[in-house]
Amino acid sequence: MVDRRGAGDEVVTTAAAKRSADAPAESAADVRERARAIPEAAVARLAVYLRVLSGMAEQGVTTISSEELAGAAGVNSAKLRKDLSYVGSYGTRGVGYDVEVLVSHIERILGLTRKHSVAVVGIGNLGHALANYGGFPSRGFPVAALFDIDPDLTGVPVGGIPVNHIDDITSVCAEREVSIGVIATPPQAAQAVCDRLVSAGVQCILNFAPVVLQVPDYVEVRKVDLAVEMQILSFHVARRADEAAGDVVNGVGVDGVVIRP
Amino acid sequence: MVDRRGAGDEVVTTAAAKRSADAPAESAADVRERARAIPEAAVARLAVYLRVLSGMAEQGVTTISSEELAGAAGVNSAKLRKDLSYVGSYGTRGVGYDVEVLVSHIERILGLTRKHSVAVVGIGNLGHALANYGGFPSRGFPVAALFDIDPDLTGVPVGGIPVNHIDDITSVCAEREVSIGVIATPPQAAQAVCDRLVSAGVQCILNFAPVVLQVPDYVEVRKVDLAVEMQILSFHVARRADEAAGDVVNGVGVDGVVIRP
DNA sequence: TACCGCTTGTGAACGGATGCACAAAGTTGA
DNA sequence: TCAACTTTGTGCATCCGTTCACAAGCGGTA
Ligand SMILES: NC(=O)c1ccc[n+]([C@@H]2O[C@H](COP(=O)([O-])OP(=O)(O)OC[C@H]3O[C@@H](n4cnc5c(N)ncnc54)[C@H](O)[C@@H]3O)[C@@H](O)[C@H]2O)c1
Ligand SMILES: NC(=O)c1ccc[n+]([C@@H]2O[C@H](COP(=O)([O-])OP(=O)(O)OC[C@H]3O[C@@H](n4cnc5c(N)ncnc54)[C@H](O)[C@@H]3O)[C@@H](O)[C@H]2O)c1
């Protein structure tokens, strides 16, 4: 059952909340150690929990159980509890989790207490959409710089930010303290752009171009490859079609192609 | 070493190529069985190998070793060989893989022998970019329908396809045999749109809206959540900062916040 | 205060993916 | 024809992540 006491109820009474308010029971070293051990898959889920929890908080929910949160996030409740245990033990047995407390601790672990300025490179179809997207700034990722190689674009404001020329990438990134670079250029230009971002000091890259980027060890790359996503869906369609065809006359494979004539 | 004999060399002499040309050594049931067993992670990598191989083929490369392909795809060569073994044994020991043969077999396993028509719902910033993107049709995913709720948009062609009203989703999807639905609406509308896609018979969904969709078991959903990607990058920044701070005076945690005063 | 019912947090078992290392198999050259 | 060399395909050990199941802990209640 969701607790809807309302957002006005500010009296904190749970033991867990008290603990976190009074004296943190763990050292900075402990936090470090734990952060290092969190599996990547769990980090991705924590980000989802955070979004769900933020929505809950807005609706005035103050307390939530692992079962409820798991349902809302679409995962197993045991997995959720294990994920939260990487963050620390901030639940109250017999009750659940204080939404606000959980939000602030997940934010801390994900490093969202500091702002991460984003630069988008390649202001074409996709770059425009990204520059105009309100979902980044609102989550602590202000878009601070835009770059393109097209001289017709430089100076033109997109989403309120004027486009800079790619040649100015080093100085502009340094000046605006860009920590995340987004590559939305054609695939042929992606590796070169990536190299320039890296030499400009950017250590985190989100890549939309369908190429495998080569980067030094200390740079973190995440790729969003829509064609790959489509192909994974396609695989499932095919598998399903195969299963359905499993009962028909043998010797005929996928798509009706005769495999054994 | 990359074999660059040129695309004109059509004389096939390797045993593996012979085998696949002469008599397929396995039944339809075998293919089914194998397809069912391929881990999802391997499927995603196969899609990447396919892209790299297609590029190789265009450059006239006819043969490639696991080591080379692994390098180009950014994975361990043993992993690559295991992945390819899910598809079947089409390599030639001492030589490598015939690029064309491999491409066609991966395409078969991924179900790319049939076309998968795509419908995009929500023709806003992102929807426009997707509709205009040439990378989908060229990979066997023709964008066959666009939907929006905004009456001003209906009838307007975007990327060559006129936008339909969301209310026509069932008839249009059936008519154009849409098998993949892409959701690019605001988050509030996403679940409703998803439900409509499902009742229109679409069983594969790619979701860009930052919400967890609830669907029946037989529907496959993949989500692309850019804010989550950003937060994962943020986590790595924080972890790195923590490690760097690990040598300074203890008692001070992330962001200079005093944890033990 | 003492008990009851509920929910967390986690040890342990399990399952799946990864990487190593090598036999098997094919090619090349003598 | 044979031996040396190259590269595949895979058994096996390992690691990581998921899931189960339950003791421990907390709030509520009498
Ligand atoms: N449009 C989509 O929906 C979509 C979907 C998936 C993937 N992608 C990928 O995203 C990338 C961008 O797609 P798009 O449709 O926006 O392409 P686009 O052609 O519309 O835009 C590319 C932009 O990059 C700029 N550019 C080219 N070379 C550059 C360089 N060296 N430095 C800086 N800027 C440079 C161009 O001037 C152009 O403005 C592509 O790699 C594409 O494969 C796009
Ligand atoms: N723009 C981006 O770069 C970006 C990045 C990441 C995620 N997203 C997500 O993608 C989604 C779309 O983003 P956007 O920037 O294109 O938004 P947008 O507001 O520009 O476009 C949304 C479109 O959906 C249409 N729409 C609204 N309700 C609908 C309904 N019930 N049925 C059909 N169409 C409906 C609207 O008319 C509008 O055209 C959002 O959920 C957003 O969070 C966008």
Side-chain angles (χ1 to χ4, degrees):
Chain A
M1 307 293 156
V2 176
D3 182 347
R4 287 175 192 276
R5 280 179 232 153
D9 184 358
E10 264 142 24
V11 183
V12 178
T13 50
T14 66
K18 268 206 214 91
R19 194 193 315 143
S20 82
D22 291 354
E26 57 182 5
S27 72
D30 290 342
V31 172
R32 251 200 315 285
E33 186 52 40
R34 182 180 300 122
R36 199 174 295 135
I38 303 181
E40 186 105 343
V43 173
R45 287 190 298 267
L46 283 171
V48 174
Y49 306 152
L50 181 60
R51 192 179 59 219
V52 173
L53 287 167
S54 302
M56 295 281 180
E58 272 174 28
Q59 288 171 33
V61 179
T62 59
T63 303
I64 193 168
S65 74
S66 63
E67 205 74 40
E68 290 169 310
L69 183 51
V75 300
N76 178 309
S77 75
K79 194 193 296 193
L80 177 129
R81 286 199 299 276
K82 181 138 288 183
D83 288 345
L84 293 185
S85 79
Y86 293 127
V87 176
S89 300
Y90 304 111
T92 308
R93 294 169 192 229
V95 175
Y97 300 88
D98 182 283
V99 174
E100 304 234 341
V101 169
L102 209 46
V103 163
S104 70
H105 280 107
I106 295 178
E107 283 180 341
R108 180 177 48 83
I109 287 284
L110 293 183
L112 301 177
T113 45
R114 72 171 68 168
K115 289 255 174 282
H116 299 270
S117 294
V118 174
V120 179
V121 186
I123 311 302
N125 281 314
L126 187 57
H128 269 86
L130 295 171
N132 282 312
Y133 183 46
F136 295 148
S138 69
R139 287 168 185 282
F141 297 95
V143 178
L146 306 176
F147 299 99
D148 204 293
I149 204 171
D150 186 346
D152 292 347
L153 274 171
T154 56
V156 177
V158 177
I161 300 158
V163 177
N164 282 99
H165 192 272
I166 183 77
D167 289 343
D168 300 330
I169 195 167
T170 304
S171 59
V172 173
C173 283
E175 188 186 301
R176 304 187 193 167
E177 297 182 318
V178 168
S179 57
I180 297 178
V182 177
I183 298 179
T185 64
Q188 302 79 15
Q191 182 65 56
V193 163
C194 175
D195 293 344
R196 299 184 86 160
L197 280 168
V198 170
S199 37
V202 175
Q203 299 193 349
C204 293
I205 290 175
L206 184 57
N207 177 34
F208 284 89
V211 288
V212 179
L213 295 177
Q214 309 290 336
V215 293
D217 284 346
Y218 61 88
V219 175
E220 196 73 34
V221 175
R222 295 202 53 95
K223 69 172 201 289
V224 175
D225 193 325
L226 303 192
V228 168
E229 297 296 328
M230 294 271 178
Q231 288 173 5
I232 294 172
L233 289 173
S234 164
F235 169 77
H236 288 291
V237 174
R239 193 169 50 81
R240 204 169 291 146
D242 277 3
E243 273 163 18
D247 298 328
V248 306
V249 186
N250 223 338
V252 179
V254 196
D255 297 335
V257 176
V258 177
I259 290 192
R260 260 196 317 213
Chain B
M1 307 292 159
V2 177
D3 182 346
R4 286 175 194 276
R5 280 179 231 153
D9 184 359
E10 264 142 24
V11 183
V12 178
T13 50
T14 66
K18 268 208 214 87
R19 193 191 315 142
S20 82
D22 292 352
E26 56 182 7
S27 72
D30 290 342
V31 173
R32 252 199 316 284
E33 187 51 40
R34 181 180 301 121
R36 198 173 295 135
I38 304 181
E40 186 106 342
V43 173
R45 287 190 297 269
L46 283 171
V48 174
Y49 306 152
L50 181 60
R51 193 178 59 218
V52 173
L53 287 168
S54 303
M56 295 282 179
E58 273 174 27
Q59 287 170 34
V61 179
T62 59
T63 304
I64 193 168
S65 73
S66 64
E67 205 73 41
E68 291 169 308
L69 183 51
V75 301
N76 177 307
S77 74
K79 196 193 297 193
L80 177 128
R81 286 199 299 277
K82 183 141 290 184
D83 287 346
L84 292 185
S85 80
Y86 294 127
V87 176
S89 299
Y90 303 112
T92 307
R93 295 170 190 226
V95 175
Y97 300 87
D98 181 282
V99 174
E100 304 233 343
V101 168
L102 209 47
V103 163
S104 70
H105 279 107
I106 295 178
E107 283 180 342
R108 181 177 47 84
I109 287 285
L110 293 183
L112 302 177
T113 46
R114 72 171 70 169
K115 289 256 172 283
H116 298 271
S117 294
V118 174
V120 179
V121 186
I123 312 302
N125 283 313
L126 186 57
H128 268 86
L130 294 171
N132 282 312
Y133 183 46
F136 295 148
S138 69
R139 288 167 184 283
F141 296 96
V143 178
L146 306 177
F147 299 99
D148 204 291
I149 205 171
D150 186 347
D152 293 347
L153 274 171
T154 56
V156 177
V158 177
I161 299 157
V163 177
N164 283 98
H165 192 274
I166 183 76
D167 290 343
D168 300 330
I169 195 166
T170 303
S171 59
V172 173
C173 283
E175 188 186 301
R176 304 188 193 168
E177 296 183 318
V178 168
S179 57
I180 298 178
V182 176
I183 298 178
T185 64
Q188 303 79 14
Q191 182 65 58
V193 163
C194 175
D195 293 344
R196 300 183 85 159
L197 280 168
V198 171
S199 37
V202 175
Q203 299 194 348
C204 293
I205 290 174
L206 184 57
N207 177 34
F208 284 90
V211 288
V212 179
L213 294 177
Q214 309 291 337
V215 294
D217 284 346
Y218 62 87
V219 175
E220 196 73 34
V221 175
R222 295 202 53 96
K223 69 173 200 286
V224 175
D225 193 326
L226 303 191
V228 168
E229 296 296 329
M230 294 271 178
Q231 288 173 6
I232 294 172
L233 288 173
S234 164
F235 168 77
H236 288 291
V237 175
R239 193 169 52 81
R240 204 169 291 145
D242 277 2
E243 272 162 18
D247 299 327
V248 305
V249 186
N250 224 337
V252 178
V254 197
D255 298 334
V257 176
V258 176
I259 291 191
R260 260 195 318 213

